[in-house]
Amino acid sequence: MAAILAENLSGKDVMGTDGAEIGSLYNITMDFSSGALHNLVIDPAESLRNTDFEYSDQGRLLVPVERVKAVKDHMIVKR
């Protein structure tokens, strides 16, 4: 996948590979020592139902970055 600046991702809408709206990107977690990205932190859409993704203590979804399939107008993640 081509390099994308983090500032271009902030607030980007996130959709599932099945076309379902998941929410909007809030943040990305990473390991500071290795630089490896861990999770997308997503403000869930009100319409989101039945997800296998974990939730943070603040009620945001934690989606492993390995599930990102595409980044264009939306971020697409495997559900």
Side-chain angles (χ1 to χ4, degrees):
M1 190 179 310
I4 299 171
L5 295 175
E7 67 186 48
N8 295 334
L9 297 176
S10 181
K12 189 170 280 289
D13 290 331
V14 181
M15 297 186 74
T17 51
D18 60 356
E21 181 183 10
I22 294 176
S24 61
L25 184 66
Y26 175 77
N27 210 341
I28 301 174
T29 62
M30 67 178 287
D31 181 321
F32 284 113
S33 61
S34 70
L37 300 178
H38 287 285
N39 292 306
L40 303 178
V41 182
I42 299 171
D43 282 324
E46 290 182 23
S47 60
L48 182 66
R49 302 284 183 267
N50 302 329
T51 183
D52 293 334
F53 298 128
E54 291 183 42
Y55 282 87
S56 71
D57 293 339
Q58 295 79 28
R60 294 186 175 100
L61 294 171
L62 301 174
V63 178
V65 295
E66 295 84 22
R67 297 186 81 175
V68 174
K69 297 300 175 191
V71 179
K72 301 222 186 230
D73 293 336
H74 295 80
M75 292 184 80
I76 308 296
V77 297
K78 182 178 178 187
R79 288 201 45 167

